[in-house]
Amino acid sequence: QRRIAHLLVSLAAEVGEQDEKRIIIQKGITHEDLANLTGLSRVRVTTILNNFERAKIIKKKRGVLTIIDSVKLRTVLDGTASLLLESSF
């Protein structure tokens, strides 16, 4: 989870577009791309992203990833929300 959270924070800073309270990443990054960048399997990346979406941290559509709650994403990155998300695996 932290690897994906870290990568999403980095992508948001580098290529994200701020829109009101959301950050939109429109780079067409696939789950396979995220897997290759983090060393995780594509299946694991998909599971983590689905958990983030259920927790209302992100919203994903084909080719577009929107961070809707950057505070929650940073708590995952800090490790304070990992138990909450791990329970949904």
Side-chain angles (χ1 to χ4, degrees):
Q1 290 182 122
R2 286 187 194 161
R3 286 189 224 174
I4 296 295
H6 184 272
L7 183 58
L8 294 179
V9 168
S10 295
L11 286 170
E14 292 176 24
V15 298
E17 299 170 18
Q18 188 76 35
D19 176 24
E20 297 168 18
K21 294 183 179 182
R22 305 172 305 164
I23 301 169
I24 302 166
I25 301 168
Q26 297 189 51
K27 282 295 190 184
I29 297 170
T30 66
H31 292 194
E32 188 70 33
D33 294 333
L34 294 173
N36 290 334
L37 290 168
T38 58
L40 299 170
S41 71
R42 186 206 49 80
V43 172
R44 182 73 171 141
V45 168
T46 298
T47 300
I48 292 168
L49 291 177
N50 288 340
N51 286 336
F52 284 0
E53 193 163 36
R54 272 193 294 277
K56 299 188 184 333
I57 296 172
I58 65 165
K59 183 176 180 182
K60 52 189 172 80
K61 279 189 178 177
R62 181 164 286 224
V64 178
L65 199 144
T66 304
I67 299 171
I68 55 177
D69 193 333
S70 58
V71 173
K72 277 188 189 176
L73 183 61
R74 288 197 181 273
T75 62
V76 172
L77 185 57
D78 295 339
T80 55
S82 61
L83 291 176
L84 172 70
L85 294 172
E86 284 292 335
S87 64
S88 30
F89 284 134

